[in-house]
């Protein structure tokens, strides 16, 4: 079960709202088994219909466990590009879609399978 800090979820929701209608994207950092921080990459691509995160920007940091990005649409499913990216990097990938509430959060594995998560 993925564990994530509740305040971080609030922050992600806020970041997605303030970036709307553009995409927000960042990396997830885990500490002591709990995803508790996000890391912005200076090379992340922001923009409408952008292809989330460039593979050139992958940080070399073992505490980075995955990614989070927003969808300015009401579709929380990973795109083909998302799945391609997920398969190459990390173990947990969050998509938050419009209107960016708790129920608009989706957690995916490398293979694009839905993951259960627990807010701590
Ligand atoms: Zn996406």
């Amino acid at each position: 079960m993925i564990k994530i800090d509740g305040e971080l979820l609030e922050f992600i929701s806020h970041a997605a709202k303030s970036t709307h209608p553009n995409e927000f994207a960042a990396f997830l950092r885990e500490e002591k088994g709990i995803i508790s921080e996000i890391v912005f990459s200076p090379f992340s691509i922001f923009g409408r219909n952008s292809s989330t995160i460039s593979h050139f920007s992958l940080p070399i940091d073992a505490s980075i466990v995955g990614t989070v990005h927003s969808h300015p649409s009401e579709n929380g499913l990973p795109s083909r590009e998302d799945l391609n990216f997920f398969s190459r990097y990390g173990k947990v990938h969050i998509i938050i879609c419009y209107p960016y509430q708790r129920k608009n959060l989706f957690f995916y594995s490398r293979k694009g399978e839905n993951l259960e998560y627990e807010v701590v």
Side-chain angles (χ1 to χ4, degrees):
M1 176 92 78
I2 303 294
K3 290 191 166 135
I4 187 158
D5 184 284
E7 282 180 29
L8 184 69
L9 283 186
E10 292 302 316
F11 182 77
I12 288 170
S13 169
H14 179 77
K17 277 179 200 157
S18 49
T19 315
H20 187 83
N22 291 320
E23 273 190 28
F24 144 79
F27 293 99
L28 299 169
R29 174 172 277 159
E30 186 177 76
E31 268 171 43
K32 296 175 184 143
I34 299 169
I35 297 169
S36 50
E37 204 180 341
I38 63 173
V39 181
F40 291 96
S41 160
F43 301 104
S44 290
I45 299 166
F46 292 87
R48 207 190 288 254
N49 302 320
S50 76
S51 56
T52 67
I53 302 161
S54 156
H55 64 275
F56 296 111
S57 63
L58 299 182
I60 304 168
D61 181 337
S63 67
I64 302 289
V65 293
T67 63
V68 53
H69 75 279
S70 67
H71 281 180
S73 68
E74 289 178 43
N75 182 358
L77 293 171
S79 66
R80 189 181 304 172
E81 290 75 23
D82 289 341
L83 288 171
N84 186 27
F85 180 77
F86 293 176
S87 70
R88 282 184 283 143
Y89 189 75
K91 66 173 186 183
V92 52
H93 298 279
I94 302 175
I95 293 175
I96 182 167
C97 67
Y98 184 81
Y100 313 119
Q101 303 301 312
R102 274 289 165 89
K103 65 174 166 47
N104 306 115
L105 278 161
F106 302 92
F107 286 60
Y108 297 103
S109 71
R110 260 185 114 102
K111 293 178 186 165
E113 298 156 332
N114 265 293
L115 294 176
E116 298 280 311
Y117 69 97
E118 184 185 351
V119 179
V120 294

